[in-house]
Coordinates of all heavy atoms in Angstrom, one line a residue:
M1 N 1.6 -4.0 18.6 CA 0.9 -3.7 17.3 C -0.4 -3.0 17.6 O -1.0 -3.2 18.6 CB 0.6 -5.0 16.6 CG 1.8 -5.8 16.1 SD 2.6 -5.0 14.7 CE 1.7 -5.6 13.3
G2 N -0.7 -2.0 16.8 CA -2.0 -1.4 16.9 C -2.8 -1.5 15.6 O -2.2 -1.6 14.5
K3 N -4.1 -1.6 15.8 CA -4.9 -1.7 14.6 C -5.7 -0.4 14.4 O -6.3 0.1 15.3 CB -5.9 -2.9 14.9 CG -6.8 -3.2 13.7 CD -7.5 -4.5 14.0 CE -8.6 -4.7 13.0 NZ -9.3 -6.0 13.3
F4 N -5.5 0.2 13.3 CA -6.1 1.5 13.0 C -7.1 1.4 11.8 O -6.8 0.8 10.8 CB -5.0 2.5 12.6 CG -4.0 2.7 13.7 CD1 -2.9 1.9 13.8 CD2 -4.2 3.8 14.5 CE1 -2.0 2.1 14.9 CE2 -3.3 4.1 15.6 CZ -2.2 3.2 15.7
K5 N -8.2 2.0 12.0 CA -9.2 2.1 10.9 C -8.6 3.2 10.0 O -8.3 4.3 10.5 CB -10.6 2.4 11.4 CG -11.5 2.7 10.2 CD -12.9 3.0 10.6 CE -13.7 3.4 9.4 NZ -15.0 3.8 9.7
V6 N -8.4 2.9 8.7 CA -7.9 3.9 7.9 C -8.8 4.5 6.8 O -8.7 5.6 6.4 CB -6.6 3.4 7.2 CG1 -5.5 3.3 8.2 CG2 -6.8 2.1 6.4
L7 N -9.8 3.7 6.4 CA -10.7 4.1 5.4 C -12.0 3.3 5.5 O -12.1 2.2 6.1 CB -10.2 3.8 4.0 CG -9.0 4.6 3.4 CD1 -8.4 3.9 2.2 CD2 -9.4 6.0 3.1
N8 N -13.1 3.9 5.0 CA -14.3 3.1 4.8 C -14.1 2.5 3.4 O -13.5 3.0 2.5 CB -15.5 4.1 4.7 CG -15.8 4.6 6.1 OD1 -15.8 4.0 7.1 ND2 -16.1 5.9 6.1
K9 N -14.7 1.3 3.3 CA -14.6 0.6 2.0 C -15.1 1.5 0.9 O -14.6 1.4 -0.2 CB -15.3 -0.7 2.1 CG -14.5 -1.8 2.7 CD -15.3 -3.1 2.6 CE -14.5 -4.3 3.1 NZ -15.3 -5.5 3.2
S10 N -16.2 2.2 1.2 CA -16.8 3.1 0.1 C -15.8 4.2 -0.4 O -16.1 4.8 -1.4 CB -18.1 3.7 0.7 OG -17.8 4.5 1.8
E11 N -14.8 4.4 0.4 CA -13.8 5.5 0.0 C -12.7 4.9 -1.0 O -11.9 5.7 -1.5 CB -13.1 6.1 1.2 CG -14.0 6.8 2.2 CD -13.3 7.2 3.4 OE1 -13.0 6.4 4.2 OE2 -13.1 8.4 3.5
L12 N -12.7 3.6 -1.1 CA -11.6 3.0 -2.0 C -12.3 2.1 -3.0 O -12.5 0.9 -2.7 CB -10.6 2.3 -1.1 CG -9.3 1.9 -1.8 CD1 -8.5 3.1 -2.2 CD2 -8.5 1.0 -0.9
Q13 N -12.6 2.6 -4.1 CA -13.3 1.7 -5.1 C -12.3 0.8 -5.7 O -11.1 0.9 -5.6 CB -13.9 2.6 -6.2 CG -14.9 3.6 -5.7 CD -16.1 2.9 -5.0 OE1 -16.6 1.9 -5.5 NE2 -16.5 3.5 -3.8
N14 N -12.9 -0.2 -6.5 CA -12.1 -1.2 -7.2 C -11.0 -0.5 -8.0 O -11.3 0.4 -8.8 CB -13.1 -2.0 -8.1 CG -12.6 -3.4 -8.2 OD1 -11.7 -3.8 -7.5 ND2 -13.3 -4.1 -9.0
N15 N -9.8 -1.0 -7.9 CA -8.6 -0.6 -8.7 C -8.3 0.9 -8.4 O -7.7 1.6 -9.2 CB -8.9 -0.8 -10.2 CG -9.1 -2.3 -10.4 OD1 -8.4 -3.1 -9.9 ND2 -10.0 -2.6 -11.3
E16 N -8.6 1.4 -7.2 CA -8.1 2.7 -6.7 C -7.1 2.5 -5.7 O -6.9 1.4 -5.1 CB -9.3 3.4 -6.1 CG -10.1 4.2 -7.0 CD -11.1 5.1 -6.3 OE1 -11.3 5.0 -5.0 OE2 -11.7 6.0 -6.9
S17 N -6.3 3.6 -5.4 CA -5.4 3.6 -4.3 C -5.4 4.9 -3.6 O -5.8 5.9 -4.2 CB -3.9 3.3 -4.8 OG -3.6 4.3 -5.8
K18 N -5.1 4.9 -2.4 CA -5.1 6.1 -1.6 C -4.0 6.1 -0.6 O -3.6 5.0 -0.1 CB -6.4 6.2 -0.8 CG -7.6 6.7 -1.6 CD -8.5 7.5 -0.8 CE -9.5 8.2 -1.7 NZ -10.8 7.9 -1.6
V19 N -3.5 7.3 -0.2 CA -2.5 7.4 0.8 C -3.2 7.7 2.2 O -4.0 8.6 2.2 CB -1.5 8.5 0.5 CG1 -0.4 8.6 1.6 CG2 -0.8 8.2 -0.8
V20 N -2.8 7.0 3.2 CA -3.3 7.3 4.5 C -2.1 7.5 5.4 O -1.0 7.0 5.1 CB -4.2 6.1 5.1 CG1 -5.4 6.0 4.2 CG2 -3.4 4.8 5.2
N21 N -2.3 8.2 6.5 CA -1.2 8.4 7.5 C -1.5 7.7 8.8 O -2.6 8.0 9.3 CB -1.0 9.9 7.7 CG -0.4 10.5 6.4 OD1 0.7 10.2 5.9 ND2 -1.1 11.5 5.8
V22 N -0.6 6.9 9.2 CA -0.7 6.2 10.5 C 0.5 6.5 11.3 O 1.6 6.2 10.8 CB -1.0 4.7 10.3 CG1 -1.1 4.0 11.7 CG2 -2.2 4.5 9.5
N23 N 0.4 7.0 12.5 CA 1.6 7.5 13.2 C 2.4 8.4 12.2 O 1.8 9.3 11.7 CB 2.4 6.3 13.7 CG 1.7 5.5 14.7 OD1 0.7 6.0 15.3 ND2 2.1 4.3 15.0
E24 N 3.6 8.1 12.0 CA 4.4 9.0 11.1 C 4.5 8.5 9.7 O 5.2 9.1 8.8 CB 5.8 9.2 11.6 CG 5.9 9.8 13.0 CD 5.6 11.2 13.1 OE1 6.3 12.0 12.5 OE2 4.6 11.6 13.7
D25 N 3.8 7.4 9.4 CA 4.0 6.7 8.2 C 3.0 7.1 7.1 O 1.8 7.2 7.5 CB 3.9 5.2 8.4 CG 5.1 4.6 9.2 OD1 6.2 5.2 9.1 OD2 4.8 3.7 10.0
S26 N 3.4 7.3 5.9 CA 2.5 7.4 4.8 C 2.3 6.0 4.2 O 3.3 5.4 3.7 CB 3.0 8.4 3.7 OG 3.0 9.7 4.3
I27 N 1.1 5.5 4.1 CA 0.9 4.2 3.7 C 0.0 4.2 2.5 O -1.1 4.9 2.5 CB 0.2 3.4 4.8 CG1 1.2 3.3 6.0 CG2 -0.1 1.9 4.3 CD1 0.6 2.7 7.2
A28 N 0.4 3.5 1.4 CA -0.5 3.4 0.2 C -1.4 2.2 0.3 O -0.9 1.1 0.5 CB 0.4 3.3 -1.0
V29 N -2.7 2.4 0.2 CA -3.6 1.3 0.3 C -4.2 1.1 -1.0 O -4.6 2.1 -1.7 CB -4.8 1.7 1.3 CG1 -5.7 0.5 1.5 CG2 -4.2 2.1 2.7
F30 N -4.3 -0.1 -1.5 CA -4.8 -0.5 -2.8 C -6.0 -1.4 -2.7 O -6.0 -2.3 -1.9 CB -3.7 -1.2 -3.6 CG -2.4 -0.4 -3.8 CD1 -1.4 -0.3 -2.8 CD2 -2.2 0.3 -5.0 CE1 -0.3 0.4 -3.0 CE2 -1.1 1.0 -5.2 CZ -0.1 1.1 -4.2
N31 N -6.9 -1.2 -3.6 CA -8.0 -2.1 -3.8 C -7.8 -2.7 -5.2 O -7.9 -2.1 -6.2 CB -9.3 -1.4 -3.7 CG -10.5 -2.3 -4.0 OD1 -10.4 -3.4 -4.5 ND2 -11.7 -1.8 -3.7
V32 N -7.4 -4.0 -5.2 CA -7.2 -4.7 -6.5 C -8.3 -5.8 -6.6 O -8.2 -6.8 -6.0 CB -5.8 -5.3 -6.5 CG1 -5.5 -6.0 -7.9 CG2 -4.7 -4.3 -6.2
E33 N -9.2 -5.5 -7.4 CA -10.3 -6.4 -7.7 C -10.9 -6.9 -6.4 O -11.2 -8.1 -6.2 CB -9.8 -7.6 -8.5 CG -9.1 -7.3 -9.8 CD -10.0 -6.6 -10.8 OE1 -11.3 -6.8 -10.7 OE2 -9.5 -6.0 -11.7
G34 N -11.1 -6.0 -5.4 CA -11.7 -6.3 -4.2 C -10.8 -6.9 -3.1 O -11.2 -7.2 -2.0
E35 N -9.5 -7.1 -3.5 CA -8.5 -7.5 -2.5 C -7.7 -6.2 -2.0 O -7.4 -5.4 -2.9 CB -7.5 -8.5 -3.1 CG -7.7 -9.9 -2.7 CD -6.5 -10.7 -3.0 OE1 -6.4 -11.0 -4.2 OE2 -5.7 -11.0 -2.1
Y36 N -7.4 -6.1 -0.8 CA -6.8 -4.9 -0.3 C -5.3 -5.2 0.1 O -5.0 -6.2 0.7 CB -7.6 -4.4 1.0 CG -9.0 -4.0 0.6 CD1 -10.0 -4.9 0.8 CD2 -9.3 -2.7 0.2 CE1 -11.3 -4.6 0.5 CE2 -10.5 -2.4 -0.1 CZ -11.6 -3.3 0.0 OH -12.9 -2.9 -0.3
F37 N -4.5 -4.2 -0.2 CA -3.1 -4.3 0.1 C -2.6 -3.0 0.7 O -3.1 -1.9 0.3 CB -2.3 -4.6 -1.2 CG -2.7 -5.9 -1.8 CD1 -3.6 -5.9 -2.9 CD2 -2.2 -7.1 -1.4 CE1 -4.0 -7.0 -3.5 CE2 -2.6 -8.3 -2.0 CZ -3.5 -8.2 -3.1
A38 N -1.5 -3.0 1.5 CA -1.0 -1.8 2.0 C 0.5 -1.9 2.1 O 1.1 -2.8 2.7 CB -1.6 -1.5 3.4
I39 N 1.2 -0.9 1.5 CA 2.7 -0.8 1.6 C 3.0 0.6 1.8 O 2.2 1.5 1.7 CB 3.3 -1.3 0.2 CG1 2.9 -0.4 -0.9 CG2 3.1 -2.8 0.0 CD1 3.6 -0.7 -2.2
N40 N 4.3 0.8 2.3 CA 4.8 2.1 2.5 C 4.7 2.9 1.2 O 5.0 2.4 0.1 CB 6.2 2.1 3.0 CG 6.6 3.4 3.6 OD1 6.7 4.5 3.0 ND2 6.7 3.4 5.0
D41 N 4.2 4.2 1.3 CA 3.9 4.9 0.0 C 5.2 5.4 -0.7 O 5.2 5.6 -1.9 CB 3.1 6.1 0.3 CG 2.6 6.8 -0.9 OD1 2.2 6.2 -1.9 OD2 2.8 8.1 -1.0
R42 N 6.3 5.5 0.1 CA 7.5 6.1 -0.5 C 8.3 5.0 -1.1 O 8.8 4.0 -0.5 CB 8.3 6.8 0.5 CG 9.4 7.6 -0.1 CD 10.4 8.1 0.8 NE 9.9 9.1 1.7 CZ 10.6 9.6 2.7 NH1 11.8 9.2 3.0 NH2 10.1 10.6 3.5
C43 N 8.6 5.1 -2.4 CA 9.5 4.2 -3.1 C 10.8 4.1 -2.4 O 11.4 5.1 -1.9 CB 9.7 4.6 -4.6 SG 10.7 3.5 -5.5
S44 N 11.4 2.9 -2.3 CA 12.7 2.7 -1.7 C 13.9 3.2 -2.5 O 15.0 3.2 -2.0 CB 12.9 1.2 -1.3 OG 12.9 0.4 -2.5
H45 N 13.6 3.6 -3.7 CA 14.7 4.1 -4.6 C 14.9 5.6 -4.4 O 16.0 6.1 -4.3 CB 14.4 3.8 -6.1 CG 15.4 4.3 -7.0 ND1 15.1 5.2 -8.0 CD2 16.7 4.1 -7.1 CE1 16.2 5.5 -8.7 NE2 17.2 4.8 -8.1
A46 N 13.8 6.3 -4.4 CA 13.9 7.8 -4.3 C 12.6 8.3 -3.6 O 12.1 7.6 -2.7 CB 14.1 8.5 -5.6
E47 N 12.0 9.4 -4.0 CA 11.0 10.0 -3.2 C 9.6 9.8 -3.8 O 8.6 10.5 -3.4 CB 11.2 11.5 -3.1 CG 12.5 11.8 -2.3 CD 12.3 11.4 -0.8 OE1 11.2 11.7 -0.3 OE2 13.2 10.9 -0.2
A48 N 9.4 8.9 -4.8 CA 8.2 8.9 -5.5 C 7.1 8.2 -4.6 O 7.4 7.4 -3.7 CB 8.3 8.1 -6.8
S49 N 5.8 8.6 -4.9 CA 4.7 8.1 -4.2 C 4.1 6.8 -5.0 O 3.6 6.9 -6.1 CB 3.6 9.1 -4.2 OG 2.4 8.6 -3.7
L50 N 4.2 5.7 -4.3 CA 3.8 4.4 -5.0 C 2.3 4.4 -5.2 O 1.8 3.6 -6.1 CB 4.3 3.2 -4.2 CG 5.8 3.0 -4.2 CD1 6.2 1.9 -3.3 CD2 6.4 2.9 -5.6
S51 N 1.6 5.1 -4.4 CA 0.1 5.1 -4.6 C -0.3 5.7 -6.0 O -1.4 5.4 -6.5 CB -0.6 5.9 -3.5 OG -0.2 7.3 -3.7
E52 N 0.7 6.4 -6.6 CA 0.4 7.0 -7.9 C 0.8 6.0 -9.1 O 0.8 6.4 -10.2 CB 1.1 8.3 -8.1 CG 0.5 9.3 -7.1 CD 1.3 10.6 -7.0 OE1 2.1 10.9 -7.9 OE2 1.0 11.3 -6.0
G53 N 1.4 4.9 -8.7 CA 1.9 4.0 -9.7 C 0.8 3.2 -10.4 O -0.3 3.1 -9.9
E54 N 1.2 2.5 -11.5 CA 0.2 1.7 -12.2 C 0.2 0.3 -11.5 O 1.3 -0.3 -11.2 CB 0.6 1.6 -13.6 CG -0.5 1.1 -14.5 CD -0.1 1.2 -16.0 OE1 0.6 2.2 -16.4 OE2 -0.4 0.3 -16.7
V55 N -0.9 -0.3 -11.4 CA -1.1 -1.6 -10.7 C -1.4 -2.7 -11.7 O -2.4 -2.5 -12.5 CB -2.1 -1.6 -9.6 CG1 -2.3 -3.0 -9.0 CG2 -1.7 -0.6 -8.5
Y56 N -0.8 -3.8 -11.7 CA -1.2 -5.0 -12.5 C -0.5 -6.2 -11.9 O 0.6 -6.2 -11.3 CB -0.7 -4.8 -14.0 CG 0.7 -4.4 -14.2 CD1 1.7 -5.4 -14.3 CD2 1.1 -3.1 -14.2 CE1 3.0 -5.0 -14.5 CE2 2.4 -2.7 -14.3 CZ 3.4 -3.7 -14.5 OH 4.7 -3.4 -14.6
D57 N -1.2 -7.3 -12.0 CA -0.8 -8.6 -11.5 C -0.3 -8.5 -10.0 O 0.7 -9.1 -9.7 CB 0.4 -9.1 -12.3 CG -0.1 -9.5 -13.7 OD1 -1.3 -9.6 -13.9 OD2 0.8 -9.6 -14.6
C58 N -1.0 -7.7 -9.2 CA -0.6 -7.6 -7.8 C 0.8 -7.0 -7.6 O 1.5 -7.2 -6.6 CB -0.6 -9.0 -7.1 SG -2.0 -9.1 -6.1
K59 N 1.2 -6.2 -8.6 CA 2.4 -5.4 -8.5 C 2.1 -3.9 -8.7 O 1.1 -3.6 -9.4 CB 3.4 -5.8 -9.6 CG 3.8 -7.3 -9.5 CD 4.8 -7.6 -10.5 CE 4.1 -8.0 -11.8 NZ 5.0 -8.6 -12.8
V60 N 2.9 -3.0 -8.2 CA 2.8 -1.6 -8.5 C 4.1 -1.2 -9.1 O 5.1 -1.5 -8.7 CB 2.4 -0.8 -7.3 CG1 3.4 -0.8 -6.2 CG2 2.1 0.7 -7.7
E61 N 3.9 -0.4 -10.2 CA 5.1 0.2 -10.9 C 5.3 1.6 -10.4 O 4.4 2.4 -10.5 CB 4.9 0.1 -12.4 CG 6.1 0.6 -13.2 CD 5.8 0.5 -14.7 OE1 5.5 -0.5 -15.2 OE2 6.0 1.6 -15.3
C62 N 6.5 1.9 -9.9 CA 6.8 3.2 -9.4 C 6.7 4.2 -10.6 O 7.2 4.0 -11.7 CB 8.3 3.3 -8.9 SG 8.7 4.9 -8.4
P63 N 5.9 5.3 -10.3 CA 5.7 6.3 -11.4 C 6.9 7.1 -11.9 O 6.9 7.6 -12.9 CB 4.6 7.2 -10.8 CG 4.8 7.1 -9.3 CD 5.3 5.7 -9.1
L64 N 8.0 7.0 -11.1 CA 9.1 7.8 -11.4 C 10.1 7.1 -12.3 O 10.5 7.5 -13.4 CB 9.8 8.3 -10.1 CG 10.8 9.5 -10.3 CD1 10.1 10.7 -11.0 CD2 11.3 10.0 -8.9
H65 N 10.6 5.9 -11.9 CA 11.7 5.2 -12.7 C 11.2 3.8 -13.0 O 12.0 3.0 -13.6 CB 13.0 5.2 -11.9 CG 13.5 6.5 -11.5 ND1 13.6 6.8 -10.1 CD2 13.8 7.6 -12.2 CE1 14.1 8.1 -10.0 NE2 14.2 8.6 -11.2
G66 N 10.0 3.4 -12.6 CA 9.5 2.2 -13.1 C 9.8 0.9 -12.4 O 9.5 -0.2 -12.8
A67 N 10.5 1.0 -11.2 CA 10.7 -0.2 -10.4 C 9.3 -0.8 -10.0 O 8.4 -0.1 -9.8 CB 11.5 0.1 -9.2
E68 N 9.3 -2.1 -9.9 CA 8.1 -2.8 -9.6 C 8.2 -3.4 -8.2 O 9.2 -3.9 -7.8 CB 7.8 -3.9 -10.6 CG 7.4 -3.4 -11.9 CD 7.2 -4.6 -12.9 OE1 7.5 -5.7 -12.6 OE2 6.7 -4.3 -14.0
F69 N 7.1 -3.3 -7.4 CA 7.0 -3.9 -6.1 C 5.8 -4.8 -6.0 O 4.8 -4.6 -6.6 CB 6.8 -2.8 -5.0 CG 8.0 -1.8 -5.0 CD1 8.1 -0.7 -5.8 CD2 9.0 -2.1 -4.1 CE1 9.2 0.1 -5.8 CE2 10.1 -1.2 -4.0 CZ 10.2 -0.1 -4.8
D70 N 6.1 -5.9 -5.2 CA 5.0 -6.9 -5.0 C 4.1 -6.3 -3.9 O 4.5 -6.0 -2.8 CB 5.6 -8.2 -4.5 CG 4.6 -9.3 -4.5 OD1 3.5 -9.1 -4.1 OD2 5.0 -10.4 -4.8
L71 N 2.8 -6.2 -4.2 CA 1.9 -5.6 -3.3 C 1.6 -6.5 -2.1 O 1.2 -6.1 -1.0 CB 0.5 -5.3 -3.9 CG 0.5 -4.1 -4.9 CD1 -0.9 -4.0 -5.6 CD2 0.8 -2.8 -4.2
R72 N 1.9 -7.8 -2.3 CA 1.6 -8.8 -1.2 C 2.8 -8.8 -0.1 O 2.5 -9.1 1.0 CB 1.5 -10.2 -1.7 CG 0.4 -10.4 -2.6 CD 0.2 -11.9 -2.9 NE -0.9 -12.1 -3.8 CZ -0.8 -12.3 -5.1 NH1 0.4 -12.2 -5.7 NH2 -1.9 -12.5 -5.8
T73 N 4.0 -8.4 -0.6 CA 5.1 -8.6 0.3 C 5.9 -7.3 0.4 O 6.7 -7.2 1.4 CB 6.1 -9.6 -0.2 OG1 6.6 -9.2 -1.5 CG2 5.4 -11.0 -0.3
G74 N 5.8 -6.3 -0.5 CA 6.6 -5.1 -0.5 C 8.0 -5.4 -1.2 O 8.7 -4.4 -1.3
E75 N 8.2 -6.6 -1.6 CA 9.5 -6.9 -2.3 C 9.7 -6.1 -3.5 O 8.8 -5.9 -4.3 CB 9.5 -8.4 -2.6 CG 10.8 -8.9 -3.2 CD 10.7 -10.3 -3.6 OE1 9.6 -10.9 -3.4 OE2 11.7 -10.8 -4.2
A76 N 11.0 -5.6 -3.7 CA 11.3 -4.9 -4.9 C 11.6 -6.0 -6.0 O 12.5 -6.8 -5.8 CB 12.6 -4.0 -4.7
L77 N 10.9 -5.9 -7.1 CA 11.0 -7.0 -8.1 C 11.9 -6.6 -9.3 O 12.5 -7.5 -9.9 CB 9.6 -7.3 -8.7 CG 8.6 -7.8 -7.6 CD1 7.2 -7.9 -8.2 CD2 9.0 -9.2 -7.1
T78 N 12.0 -5.3 -9.6 CA 12.8 -4.9 -10.7 C 13.6 -3.7 -10.3 O 13.2 -2.9 -9.5 CB 12.0 -4.6 -11.9 OG1 11.1 -3.5 -11.6 CG2 11.2 -5.8 -12.4
P79 N 14.8 -3.5 -11.0 CA 15.6 -2.2 -10.7 C 14.8 -1.0 -11.3 O 13.9 -1.2 -12.1 CB 16.8 -2.5 -11.6 CG 16.8 -3.8 -12.1 CD 15.4 -4.4 -11.9
P80 N 15.2 0.2 -10.9 CA 16.3 0.5 -10.1 C 16.2 0.3 -8.6 O 17.1 0.6 -7.8 CB 16.6 2.0 -10.4 CG 15.2 2.5 -10.7 CD 14.5 1.4 -11.4
A81 N 15.0 -0.1 -8.1 CA 14.9 -0.3 -6.6 C 15.4 -1.6 -6.3 O 15.3 -2.6 -7.0 CB 13.4 -0.2 -6.2
S82 N 16.1 -1.7 -5.2 CA 16.6 -3.0 -4.7 C 16.1 -3.4 -3.3 O 16.2 -4.5 -2.9 CB 18.1 -3.0 -4.8 OG 18.7 -2.0 -4.0
K83 N 15.6 -2.4 -2.6 CA 15.2 -2.6 -1.2 C 13.7 -2.8 -1.2 O 13.0 -2.0 -1.9 CB 15.6 -1.5 -0.3 CG 17.0 -1.6 0.3 CD 17.3 -0.5 1.2 CE 16.3 -0.2 2.2 NZ 16.6 1.1 3.0
A84 N 13.2 -3.7 -0.4 CA 11.7 -3.8 -0.2 C 11.2 -2.6 0.5 O 11.9 -1.9 1.2 CB 11.4 -5.0 0.6
V85 N 9.9 -2.3 0.3 CA 9.2 -1.3 1.1 C 8.4 -2.1 2.2 O 8.1 -3.3 2.0 CB 8.2 -0.5 0.2 CG1 9.0 0.4 -0.7 CG2 7.2 -1.3 -0.5
V86 N 8.1 -1.4 3.2 CA 7.4 -2.1 4.3 C 6.0 -2.4 3.9 O 5.3 -1.6 3.2 CB 7.3 -1.1 5.6 CG1 6.4 -1.8 6.7 CG2 8.7 -0.8 6.1
C87 N 5.6 -3.6 4.2 CA 4.3 -4.1 3.8 C 3.5 -4.3 5.1 O 4.0 -4.7 6.1 CB 4.4 -5.5 3.2 SG 2.9 -6.2 2.5
Y88 N 2.2 -3.8 5.1 CA 1.4 -3.8 6.3 C 0.3 -4.8 6.2 O -0.3 -5.1 5.2 CB 0.8 -2.4 6.5 CG 1.8 -1.3 6.7 CD1 2.3 -0.7 5.6 CD2 2.3 -1.0 7.9 CE1 3.3 0.3 5.7 CE2 3.2 0.0 8.1 CZ 3.7 0.7 6.9 OH 4.7 1.6 7.1
Q89 N 0.0 -5.4 7.4 CA -1.1 -6.3 7.4 C -2.4 -5.5 7.4 O -2.6 -4.5 8.1 CB -1.1 -7.1 8.7 CG -2.0 -8.3 8.7 CD -1.9 -9.1 9.9 OE1 -0.8 -9.2 10.6 NE2 -2.9 -9.9 10.3
I90 N -3.3 -6.0 6.5 CA -4.6 -5.2 6.3 C -5.7 -6.2 6.6 O -5.7 -7.3 6.3 CB -4.6 -4.7 4.9 CG1 -5.6 -3.5 4.8 CG2 -4.8 -5.7 3.9 CD1 -5.3 -2.6 3.6
T91 N -6.7 -5.6 7.3 CA -7.9 -6.4 7.5 C -9.1 -5.6 7.2 O -9.0 -4.4 7.2 CB -8.0 -6.9 9.0 OG1 -7.9 -5.8 9.9 CG2 -6.9 -7.9 9.3
T92 N -10.2 -6.2 7.0 CA -11.5 -5.5 6.7 C -12.6 -6.1 7.5 O -12.6 -7.3 7.9 CB -11.8 -5.6 5.2 OG1 -12.0 -6.9 4.8 CG2 -10.7 -5.0 4.3
D93 N -13.7 -5.4 7.6 CA -14.9 -5.9 8.0 C -16.0 -5.4 7.0 O -15.6 -5.0 5.9 CB -15.3 -5.6 9.5 CG -15.4 -4.1 9.7 OD1 -15.6 -3.4 8.8 OD2 -15.4 -3.7 10.9
E94 N -17.2 -5.5 7.3 CA -18.2 -5.2 6.3 C -18.0 -3.8 5.7 O -18.2 -3.6 4.5 CB -19.6 -5.3 7.0 CG -20.7 -5.3 6.0 CD -22.0 -5.5 6.8 OE1 -22.1 -6.0 7.9 OE2 -23.0 -5.0 6.2
N95 N -17.7 -2.8 6.5 CA -17.6 -1.4 6.0 C -16.2 -0.8 6.0 O -16.0 0.2 5.4 CB -18.5 -0.6 6.9 CG -20.0 -1.0 6.8 OD1 -20.5 -1.3 5.7 ND2 -20.6 -1.1 7.9
S96 N -15.3 -1.3 6.8 CA -14.1 -0.6 7.1 C -12.8 -1.4 6.7 O -12.8 -2.6 6.6 CB -14.0 -0.3 8.5 OG -15.2 0.4 8.9
I97 N -11.7 -0.6 6.5 CA -10.4 -1.1 6.2 C -9.5 -0.7 7.4 O -9.4 0.4 7.8 CB -9.9 -0.5 4.9 CG1 -10.8 -0.8 3.8 CG2 -8.5 -1.1 4.6 CD1 -10.5 -0.1 2.5
Y98 N -8.7 -1.7 7.9 CA -7.8 -1.5 9.0 C -6.4 -1.9 8.6 O -6.2 -2.8 7.8 CB -8.3 -2.4 10.2 CG -9.7 -2.2 10.6 CD1 -10.7 -2.9 10.1 CD2 -10.0 -1.3 11.6 CE1 -12.0 -2.8 10.4 CE2 -11.3 -1.1 12.0 CZ -12.3 -1.9 11.4 OH -13.6 -1.7 11.8
I99 N -5.5 -1.2 9.3 CA -4.1 -1.5 9.1 C -3.4 -1.8 10.4 O -3.7 -1.0 11.4 CB -3.3 -0.4 8.3 CG1 -3.7 -0.4 6.9 CG2 -1.8 -0.5 8.5 CD1 -3.1 0.7 6.1
E100 N -2.6 -2.8 10.5 CA -1.9 -3.0 11.8 C -0.5 -2.5 11.6 O 0.2 -2.7 10.7 CB -1.8 -4.5 12.0 CG -3.2 -5.1 12.2 CD -3.3 -6.3 13.1 OE1 -2.3 -6.7 13.7 OE2 -4.4 -6.9 13.2
V101 N -0.1 -1.7 12.6 CA 1.3 -1.1 12.6 C 1.9 -1.3 13.9 O 1.2 -1.4 15.0 CB 1.3 0.4 12.2 CG1 0.8 0.7 10.8 CG2 0.5 1.2 13.2
D102 N 3.2 -1.3 13.9 CA 4.0 -1.4 15.1 C 3.9 -0.1 15.8 O 4.2 0.9 15.3 CB 5.5 -1.7 14.7 CG 6.3 -2.1 15.9 OD1 5.9 -1.7 17.0 OD2 7.3 -2.8 15.7
D103 N 3.4 -0.1 17.1 CA 3.2 1.1 17.8 C 4.5 1.9 18.0 O 4.5 3.1 18.2 CB 2.6 0.8 19.2 CG 1.1 0.4 19.0 OD1 0.5 0.9 18.1 OD2 0.7 -0.4 19.9
N104 N 5.6 1.2 18.0 CA 6.9 1.9 18.3 C 7.6 2.3 17.0 O 8.6 2.9 17.1 CB 7.8 0.9 19.0 CG 7.2 0.4 20.3 OD1 6.6 1.2 21.0 ND2 7.4 -0.9 20.6
A105 N 7.0 2.1 15.9 CA 7.6 2.4 14.6 C 7.6 3.9 14.4 O 6.7 4.6 14.9 CB 6.9 1.7 13.4
Ligands
FES201 S1 11.8 6.6 -7.3 FE1 10.8 4.7 -7.6 S2 12.1 3.7 -9.0 FE2 13.1 5.5 -8.7

């Protein structure tokens, strides 16, 4: 596993999301009321960017066909998506946001 600094906290305000790239992965990072979450940005149903989805109750709704994913686990909660998206471990310190990824991924 490798730990990568992906953003300064000041770059991701409350209720914002951003896409970061780590290795070959595009990862959507969310700040939900001061809690941080990271899942693969690409919806498991088609090619939509989950960072552009609407967030509520720790879920994100895919902007293309409306499938919902749990931000804590990446689990697909509603159709048309049925496969989970990868969920990444996220840590923070005073100023920075880090993501842990498998170096071999
Ligand atoms: S692309 Fe996300 S639900 Fe279809």
